[in-house]
Amino acid sequence: MYDRIKGFRDFYPGEMAARRAAIDTIEERARSYGFREIGTPALERAELWTDKSGDDIVDELYAFEDQGGRHVTLTPELTPTVARMVVAKQQELSKPIKWFSTRPFWRYEQVQQGRQREFYQTNVDIFGSSEPEADAEILAWAADALTGLGLSGDHFEFRISHRDILGGVLETYDADVDVDDAIRAVDKSDKLETAEYHDLLVDAGLEDDQAAEFDDLVASGDLEAVEEFADTERVTDAVENLQRVLEAAEDFGAREYCTISLETARGLDYYTGVVFECFDSAGEVSRSIFGGGRYDDLIESFGGQPTPAVGVAPGHATLSLLCQRAGVWPDEEVTTDYYVLQIGDTRSEAARICRELRERGQVVETDVAGRSFGAQLNYADSINAETVVIVGEQDLANDEVTIKDMETGDQTQVAVDEFPGDRERPTFDDFD
């Protein structure tokens, strides 16, 4: 026996059926907003990450040297890849560029609730618009995707903030404050003890009393108090932008899910404006369901023309935990519309029935293992077949087949040339 590698998952048919139903809902909502699906490679040059984050990030990657001597890695996230793609065809692409994709990613990190080393995300991004409506559309899509899965505002909330509010407040203190380090501390604050968080702020350059003051101000979420404290153009502009995004979100139907939370910072340095994270309202899922925000400088940093961008990336592991807690995760079971059961030398007629049902878009199975009547019927039950079509030699001699409803056990004989006939989805009730 070979053991599965830690941090990687197998998905058996029932689990995969539930995942597929959820993915289909999420992607259907993306298409309804005009987002276009893209495909991206599993392998990229490691420099896409090391050039921005330093060589130490290699410890978090599945990176190696390939046979051509290139330093490559399995992709740990999508944003650098889509940035590369935008830069490659920037002049040809109509703006705004609205893309989505669902695929796996890989990070070598500690396995925990809602996070494996191989994990799946649906990324949704808009490139080419700096307007608040673009941020609001991302929020609206995320809300539609979640409610499409059966969730409601009782199950989740979007905590929304603006990076320039935090940066502007921090700049009012001392020139020696490392703003990026302080923002990263804010991003970790909900996972740290108060004293540990305070120490990180001090390490970033704040005095003890300043760290306490900053913590109180941020925790209040009071935008008026923030503007009054940091009377700077950067903070004023950021507050105005955040308010305009929320106003647009109101019109787009997503405002009811949004809570202003200045403690929401997003730790990645490429975020530049509005940022948000989705959380389980009951707090039973120990990490954010997903996060996103604006990253207006990234395309230019990859060698492209200045291009504003905003996006979000729901993780399927945490999303499934939220749906399971709320009782709306799709049933983890396979379903089958028809099982065509063969008795004796009836393959030709059984195959005809299978073909005609499949042409109507139905899920159809039939015997391919030479099993007995009882074994076939047990198998039909195990795959949750709704209807069994019994094609037996005696029935065919009478120009009939038998239709059996698997839920009730009722069955009836039908003329063979009337099944399936012109019906799209014939069942026992059509012939009773």
Side-chain angles (χ1 to χ4, degrees), residues 52-54 77 163-164 178-185 187 234 265-273 275 294-298 301:
K52 304 295 180 186
S53 303
E77 58 168 323
R163 292 269 293 202
D164 279 348
D178 189 318
V179 172
D180 289 338
D181 279 353
I183 289 177
R184 280 191 284 270
D187 182 56
R234 181 182 183 185
R266 304 292 290 152
L268 296 172
D269 292 343
Y270 57 65
Y271 285 111
T272 58
V275 290
R294 184 162 282 281
Y295 51 100
D296 287 344
D297 299 334
L298 191 65
S301 75

Side-chain angles (χ1 to χ4, degrees), residues 172-191:
T172 64
Y173 286 110
D174 189 283
D176 292 333
V177 173
D178 189 318
V179 172
D180 289 338
D181 279 353
I183 289 177
R184 280 191 284 270
V186 174
D187 182 56
K188 300 174 184 176
S189 61
D190 64 336
K191 303 179 185 70

Side-chain angles (χ1 to χ4, degrees), residues 189-229:
S189 61
D190 64 336
K191 303 179 185 70
L192 302 174
E193 297 293 334
T194 301
E196 189 176 0
Y197 172 45
H198 179 92
D199 288 344
L200 287 179
L201 292 175
V202 171
D203 290 343
L206 294 174
E207 300 292 336
D208 284 334
D209 58 338
Q210 292 173 335
E213 180 183 48
F214 174 75
D215 183 22
D216 290 342
L217 185 64
V218 169
S220 74
D222 187 335
L223 296 181
E224 289 186 7
V226 166
E227 281 196 271
E228 183 177 339
F229 176 83

Side-chain angles (χ1 to χ4, degrees), residues 114-407:
R115 173 67 82 181
Q116 300 287 324
R117 289 173 176 169
E118 180 181 60
F119 56 97
Y120 293 77
Q121 291 182 172
T122 296
N123 288 259
V124 178
D125 297 277
I126 299 176
F127 302 91
S129 174
S130 59
E131 296 301 313
E133 287 81 2
D135 305 63
E137 184 164 275
I138 289 291
L139 290 166
W141 168 79
D144 273 0
L146 294 183
T147 55
L149 290 170
L151 297 164
S152 71
D154 293 332
H155 301 126
F156 68 90
E157 65 172 344
F158 297 153
R159 300 178 189 174
I160 186 168
S161 183
H162 198 294
R163 292 269 293 202
D164 279 348
I165 293 177
L166 293 174
V169 170
L170 289 163
E171 285 177 352
T172 64
Y173 286 110
D174 189 283
D176 292 333
V177 173
D178 189 318
V179 172
D180 289 338
D181 279 353
I183 289 177
R184 280 191 284 270
V186 174
D187 182 56
K188 300 174 184 176
S189 61
D190 64 336
K191 303 179 185 70
L192 302 174
E193 297 293 334
T194 301
E196 189 176 0
Y197 172 45
H198 179 92
D199 288 344
L200 287 179
L201 292 175
V202 171
D203 290 343
L206 294 174
E207 300 292 336
D208 284 334
D209 58 338
Q210 292 173 335
E213 180 183 48
F214 174 75
D215 183 22
D216 290 342
L217 185 64
V218 169
S220 74
D222 187 335
L223 296 181
E224 289 186 7
V226 166
E227 281 196 271
E228 183 177 339
F229 176 83
D231 186 17
T232 67
E233 184 176 354
R234 181 182 183 185
V235 171
T236 299
D237 289 348
V239 169
E240 179 183 354
N241 180 247
L242 176 57
Q243 290 172 332
R244 290 180 64 200
V245 168
L246 291 173
E247 288 169 3
E250 177 75 41
D251 290 337
F252 293 178
R255 179 64 180 89
E256 64 180 289
Y257 308 108
C258 299
T259 300
I260 295 173
S261 170
L262 300 183
E263 293 169 299
T264 298
R266 304 292 290 152
L268 296 172
D269 292 343
Y270 57 65
Y271 285 111
T272 58
V274 165
V275 290
F276 68 92
E277 292 184 331
C278 175
F279 280 89
D280 166 19
S281 298
E284 295 179 12
V285 181
S286 63
R287 57 188 299 134
S288 68
I289 308 303
F290 56 79
R294 184 162 282 281
Y295 51 100
D296 287 344
D297 299 334
L298 191 65
I299 300 300
E300 188 175 5
S301 75
F302 275 79
Q305 296 299 313
T307 304
V310 61
V312 64
H316 292 193
T318 48
L319 187 55
S320 68
L321 290 174
L322 176 63
C323 289
Q324 288 163 9
R325 182 191 70 75
V328 299
W329 186 243
D331 291 336
E332 293 190 352
E333 60 181 16
V334 296
T335 58
T336 309
D337 298 321
Y338 298 90
Y339 183 83
V340 179
L341 190 153
Q342 303 173 48
I343 306 174
D345 186 15
T346 61
R347 185 182 68 190
S348 178
E349 191 61 35
R352 186 225 18 119
I353 292 171
C354 289
R355 289 197 308 273
E356 292 189 16
L357 288 171
R358 288 170 183 150
E359 286 169 359
R360 291 159 169 76
Q362 309 306 330
V363 177
V364 186
E365 284 201 53
T366 191
D367 183 45
V368 293
R371 290 170 297 189
S372 68
F373 177 91
Q376 289 185 65
L377 202 59
N378 287 338
Y379 178 76
D381 186 54
S382 75
I383 60 173
N384 294 313
E386 179 182 344
T387 300
V388 169
V389 183
I390 301 172
V391 186
E393 289 181 324
Q394 186 60 52
D395 280 340
L396 289 183
N398 297 324
D399 292 325
E400 293 178 334
V401 293
T402 298
I403 310 303
K404 182 180 181 68
D405 184 299
M406 288 297 285
E407 182 176 0

Side-chain angles (χ1 to χ4, degrees), residues 79-123:
T79 305
T81 293
V82 292
R84 174 183 60 73
M85 290 173 66
V86 169
V87 171
K89 293 195 174 184
Q90 192 162 20
Q91 302 307 316
E92 305 171 35
L93 297 167
S94 299
K95 312 299 188 302
I97 303 161
K98 298 171 65 174
W99 286 347
F100 82 90
S101 70
T102 300
R103 50 155 294 182
F105 298 92
W106 301 268
R107 290 181 190 161
Y108 194 84
E109 60 182 9
Q110 185 65 39
V111 177
Q112 53 188 296
Q113 184 195 46
R115 173 67 82 181
Q116 300 287 324
R117 289 173 176 169
E118 180 181 60
F119 56 97
Y120 293 77
Q121 291 182 172
T122 296
N123 288 259

